[in-house]
Amino acid sequence: MATFDKKTAFSLEDAIDYAGGGVVSKQVTKNKGGNITLFSFDKGQGLSEHTTPFDAFAQILDGETEINIGGEIFHLTRGQSIIMPANIPHSLKATERFKMLLTMIKGE
């Protein structure tokens, strides 16, 4: 897993590559308040339904995805974002290959 140096500028989209037929993740930073992770998904790849105990903010950096939050489907493309609320089941599928920045914020 690559690490990111503090006080060093970088391009989010260029900081992670696609893997044919796979999913790639790179943790940008993590502390007791939450974490920030980059993901790339090849077309057809995804994450199965799960819940987390804190809100998750997904920012689409490239491509297209379908995100299911509590049974409601959202189609997102480059430049769009969505908040997946804590304790609500969610999943995602790459309708085209895509990259996202995921920010997880722990609740009080």
Side-chain angles (χ1 to χ4, degrees), residues 2 4 10-17 24 26 28 38 61 99:
F4 294 85
F10 59 93
S11 164
L12 289 171
E13 191 175 337
D14 294 340
I16 193 165
D17 294 320
V24 179
K26 287 186 181 180
V28 177
L38 282 167
L61 303 173
K99 295 179 181 180

Side-chain angles (χ1 to χ4, degrees), residues 27-81:
Q27 190 171 70
V28 177
T29 189
K30 181 179 180 178
N31 63 38
K32 64 183 178 180
N35 63 70
I36 300 172
T37 306
L38 282 167
F39 285 91
S40 70
F41 296 81
D42 199 10
K43 183 177 181 175
Q45 298 297 310
L47 295 176
S48 60
E49 187 174 79
H50 62 282
T51 61
T52 61
F54 33 85
D55 291 342
F57 174 80
Q59 178 184 356
I60 309 308
L61 303 173
D62 184 41
E64 299 177 20
T65 186
E66 177 180 282
I67 297 179
N68 181 331
I69 303 173
E72 188 173 354
I73 305 295
F74 300 88
H75 298 276
L76 285 87
T77 60
R78 180 187 186 119
Q80 293 185 304
S81 301

